[in-house]
Amino acid sequence: MTGRVEERVKAGFVVGGCPDQAARLERLPIDSLWAGGHIASRNPSTEAMITLARLSAVTERVRLGTAVLPLPLYPPAVIAKQVADLDRATGGRLTLGVGIGGEYPQEFRACRVPRRERGRRADEAIPLLRRLWTAQWISHDGPFYPMTDVRIHPAPVQPGGPPIIVAGRKERAMRRAALVGDGWMPYLYSPRRYAAAARTIRACADEVGRDLSGFEWCAFVFVNIDRDGTRARQEAARTIGGTYNQDLNDMIDSVAAAGTPEEVTRRLQEFVAAGARHFIFLPVPGAGAADAVVRTLVDEILPALL
């Protein structure tokens, strides 16, 4: 993607497939809504592309994206077609956030994709998606997705196709973002780690002479807010820990923004100082109310960042 970097900080939320929830959130002063999902996760979940389609049907203004699609589990031609259709249906409002997964080995067994190949598959699939979005006849001789004389059309509304934001946590993902991505979206990160990743991405891009103008610096942030900061951290640790089957109590301050409104504001300001420009929030209130977390973010915290 090209163009001048927008310095304004943007914010969005991860949502399920509930139409009423998406409609309520779109009326708030936010920029984006995001669909997560898995094929066969440890806990019940939606599927990312189906949820994205639901969001496209009930929104008119906000940008829509996947946060994230486990790309190696899907044939690139199918994703290219689905995304092109949805981009046209939404007037060019789509962003494709992709990761390689791996935390749920059963997904790879179910889809008959060797888990050890997931990074190489993503590296091949991302440039291939962009070629497929040209709506021209293409042939491709890669090791995982060879195809001959294939044309997927009509093309997406966005020239070159929607931005592809690379998610991850490790250096291989940073390099993937620097070389073939249109943005970076880490999760379970502290602001210090975000700043270090940004330096790594810029260094990788410099190695190949790539200009990162227009690159989107996203941050996927688990968030919980409570006037009782200790309770906010405990509920966030319990909720996130249940998802990843880990005890996160001792490291919750390194993997989430949880605490009082003042504490969360300071943490998010640290992310902005580290280079983040588009927050993707997932409320993790535990026994609390997600709507209350959203309202506090929108009413009290985001005005200090945007």
Side-chain angles (χ1 to χ4, degrees), residues 99-203:
I100 65 169
E103 64 268 42
Y104 302 121
Q106 65 270 24
E107 293 190 300
F108 290 82
R109 295 194 299 269
C111 296
R112 301 184 65 82
V113 173
R115 189 167 173 265
R116 66 182 181 277
E117 296 176 353
R118 65 194 191 278
R120 286 175 292 155
R121 285 176 177 266
D123 290 338
E124 181 178 337
I126 292 172
L128 179 56
L129 286 171
R130 293 200 179 95
R131 293 187 65 205
L132 291 167
W133 284 332
T134 65
Q136 302 298 313
W137 292 98
I138 73 159
S139 295
H140 175 73
D141 62 358
F144 300 111
Y145 309 113
M147 57 185 71
T148 302
D149 295 334
V150 173
R151 184 187 184 197
I152 291 180
H153 61 108
V157 169
Q158 298 177 81
I164 299 177
I165 310 297
V166 175
R169 303 183 70 235
K170 298 182 179 179
E171 188 168 343
R172 179 71 181 271
M174 299 173 204
R175 188 166 185 83
R176 182 174 300 118
L179 299 182
V180 297
D182 296 312
W184 168 240
M185 186 199 305
Y187 63 102
L188 296 176
Y189 258 32
S190 67
R192 178 177 295 183
R193 191 170 180 185
Y194 192 99
R199 290 192 294 270
T200 298
I201 291 169
R202 293 186 188 279

Side-chain angles (χ1 to χ4, degrees), residues 46-57:
T46 60
E47 191 278 326
M49 292 305 297
I50 290 294
T51 304
L52 188 63
R54 291 192 184 112
L55 295 179
S56 74

Side-chain angles (χ1 to χ4, degrees), residues 54-264:
R54 291 192 184 112
L55 295 179
S56 74
V58 297
T59 60
E60 298 178 352
R61 177 186 64 83
V62 293
R63 191 152 193 90
L64 303 175
T66 51
V68 297
L69 180 80
L71 185 59
L73 299 179
Y74 295 79
V78 173
I79 293 300
K81 182 61 176 176
Q82 291 175 328
V83 169
D85 286 353
L86 289 173
D87 196 56
R88 292 177 67 84
T90 60
R93 290 189 288 126
L94 256 59
T95 294
L96 186 65
V98 301
I100 65 169
E103 64 268 42
Y104 302 121
Q106 65 270 24
E107 293 190 300
F108 290 82
R109 295 194 299 269
C111 296
R112 301 184 65 82
V113 173
R115 189 167 173 265
R116 66 182 181 277
E117 296 176 353
R118 65 194 191 278
R120 286 175 292 155
R121 285 176 177 266
D123 290 338
E124 181 178 337
I126 292 172
L128 179 56
L129 286 171
R130 293 200 179 95
R131 293 187 65 205
L132 291 167
W133 284 332
T134 65
Q136 302 298 313
W137 292 98
I138 73 159
S139 295
H140 175 73
D141 62 358
F144 300 111
Y145 309 113
M147 57 185 71
T148 302
D149 295 334
V150 173
R151 184 187 184 197
I152 291 180
H153 61 108
V157 169
Q158 298 177 81
I164 299 177
I165 310 297
V166 175
R169 303 183 70 235
K170 298 182 179 179
E171 188 168 343
R172 179 71 181 271
M174 299 173 204
R175 188 166 185 83
R176 182 174 300 118
L179 299 182
V180 297
D182 296 312
W184 168 240
M185 186 199 305
Y187 63 102
L188 296 176
Y189 258 32
S190 67
R192 178 177 295 183
R193 191 170 180 185
Y194 192 99
R199 290 192 294 270
T200 298
I201 291 169
R202 293 186 188 279
C204 289
D206 286 344
E207 288 175 8
V208 297
R210 185 184 180 195
D211 181 2
L212 291 183
S213 297
F215 193 85
E216 188 153 16
W217 297 96
C218 302
F220 186 113
V221 179
F222 294 95
V223 60
N224 193 26
I225 308 165
D226 195 305
R227 302 297 169 184
D228 183 334
T230 299
R231 181 168 59 198
R233 287 183 282 274
Q234 290 174 341
E235 290 294 338
R238 183 170 65 85
T239 305
I240 305 169
T243 298
Y244 293 100
N245 196 27
Q246 297 181 53
D247 182 354
L248 297 178
N249 281 286
D250 291 339
M251 56 186 299
I252 192 62
D253 287 332
S254 296
V255 299
T260 65
E262 295 76 17
E263 289 170 332
V264 172

